[in-house]
DNA sequence: CGTCCAAATGGTCATACTGACTCTTATAAC
DNA sequence: GTTATAAGAGTCAGTATGACCATTTGGACG
């Protein structure tokens, strides 16, 4: 009782849209390809799924191997599967894209295989520019879908906390929304919304002072995962391509 | 420049969670398996993706072949990919599950291969009962995910119209929400919400009278796809397993 | 044929949430 | 010490919602 060799035969890969926020801009991690096809262009970290490995394990392994990112602390979820017949010139390659979010830690983009990994602002990736990267395969579509998923999930989940290191201030958290959505949010209203959502954040009781301004309270992520009602996303006042 | 035969080699299938509403209950279409593995149990319609076919085409083809459903009018979207290493005893079979919604038309569950297709109320599928079906593979999980996706999308999209034949009354549309969510909605408030959302429905100007009660206005689906703000889902008052 | 019923439709009102805004406080930079 | 900056506290009007009540209308029923 086995599957005929040719029944639905494909090569299966995972790719990871790893997002973080650097200098107030939403950024995606890309790896420069050293081999054909698409040598010299930039691709999402990813690779073939091995024989006895599930998808999430494959995604975390590839993340570690190709970019030196310890996938332990990052949020990882399945995004979508891309299977257009000729998306890969080598043959029928189907990829299960994943979305990963992490804070802007002193990023270990320095591993062995990871020498060619780099953070790119998503606006430079999504809008073709002279100084932006050229993407391999259908990765522009995948990046776009990943970013849109992230934008949507900030509305109705507490996932924004995945973008900041602990502990964080409400200003840090607000900066996440502003960077991902490309809008400016009213600080008092944002504060009211976050604090009125049970379990969104937990007050540590401590404060920090960063440069000018009144010291800010420090928080940890709470137990809540969903926002009811949702955080409303204003129309993009800033240019969304600034990501 | 090809992929080594063994690199990420899997068999790829599509499966479809086709939902409709019959007699006020949310139902899923299942097919009785005639062959091993899982002969005699019930499975989602689906099958292997052919060499030059994309996923959506495969899903529509399988729906037509296995259940006689003309996939033209049904809403179809990718749901999630399931790839646990031993989910299929025949080998490494990965399935891309899809979610499909259709109105309760005089359903053509009568095609050739489709002789073994049947609608099952989702509550009988999700909660093991003596008279409910036994599902093959990891299809219980897939059905659960599909139903949860449908419930969620009714909140923030106009997808409920995919469950009703045109033209429809606001009572028909409200019944969709009530069946999928397992709640009772206030008719005047529901009406206000739907009519105040531009492009949710389009008034035909005609009315119908069905049995008792004041004749109801008839509507077509509008151009809108998203609901802002969302339709709020009350806590399940009715038992959700009645789904 | 008249009455009753059920469902659609048309409203009201209190409450919750949001967006826009002002004001105060506390710290670092100058 | 003064000022710039950001956090934090609070106000107020507009909107959306949930819970109701009232009216309309055609078929069902006697």
């Amino acid at each position: 009782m086995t599957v005929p060799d040719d029944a639905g035969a494909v090569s299966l890969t995972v790719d990871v849209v790893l997002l973080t926020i650097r200098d107030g801009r939403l950024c995606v991690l890309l790896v420069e390809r050293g081999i054909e096809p698409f040598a010299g262009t930039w691709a999402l970290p990813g690779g073939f799924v091995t024989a006895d490995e599930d998808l999430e394990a494959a995604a975390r392994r590839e993340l570690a191997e190709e970019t030196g990112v310890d996938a332990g602390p990052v949020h990882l979820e399945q995004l979508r599967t891309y299977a257009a017949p000729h998306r890969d010139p080598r043959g029928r390659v189907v990829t299960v894209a994943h979305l990963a979010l992490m804070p802007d830690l002193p990023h270990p983009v320095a591993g062995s295989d990871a020498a060619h990994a780099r953070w790119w602002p998503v606006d430079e990736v999504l809008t073709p520019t002279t100084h932006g990267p050229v993407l391999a395969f259908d990765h522009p579509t995948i990046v776009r879908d990943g970013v849109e998923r992230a934008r949507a999930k900030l509305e109705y989940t507490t996932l924004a906390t995945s973008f900041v290191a602990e502990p964080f201030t409400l200003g840090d958290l607000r900066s996440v929304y502003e960077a991902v959505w490309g809008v400016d949010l009213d600080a008092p209203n944002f504060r009211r919304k976050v604090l009125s959502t049970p379990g969104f954040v937990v007050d540590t009781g401590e404060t920090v002072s960063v440069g000018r301004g009144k010291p800010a309270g420090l928080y940890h992520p709470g137990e809540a995962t969903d926002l009811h009602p949702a955080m409303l996303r204003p129309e993009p006042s800033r240019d969304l391509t600034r990501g």
Side-chain angles (χ1 to χ4, degrees), chain A residues 131-155:
Chain A
H131 56 295
V134 175
L135 293 210
F137 306 104
D138 50 2
H139 290 192
T141 300
I142 300 177
V143 171
R144 186 183 318 276
D145 290 350
V147 169
E148 193 41 59
R149 169 78 66 89
R151 287 184 174 139
K153 289 204 97 168
L154 288 206
E155 293 188 44

Side-chain angles (χ1 to χ4, degrees), chain A residues 199-222:
Chain A
F200 195 164
V201 297
V202 177
D203 194 344
T204 66
E206 310 195 348
T207 61
V208 278
S209 182
V210 283
R212 298 277 184 88
K214 185 176 179 176
L218 286 171
Y219 297 83
H220 287 295

Side-chain angles (χ1 to χ4, degrees), chain A residues 18 20 22 27-32 42 45 63-70 102-120:
Chain A
L18 176 61
T20 196
R22 294 163 54 82
C27 294
V28 60
L29 189 69
L30 298 177
V31 180
E32 191 169 24
W42 294 82
L63 217 43
E65 289 179 8
E66 290 208 352
T67 73
V69 170
D70 172 17
M102 64 175 288
D104 181 26
L105 299 173
H107 41 88
V109 177
S112 44
D113 284 359
H116 300 92
R118 225 208 88 173
W119 290 106
W120 289 89

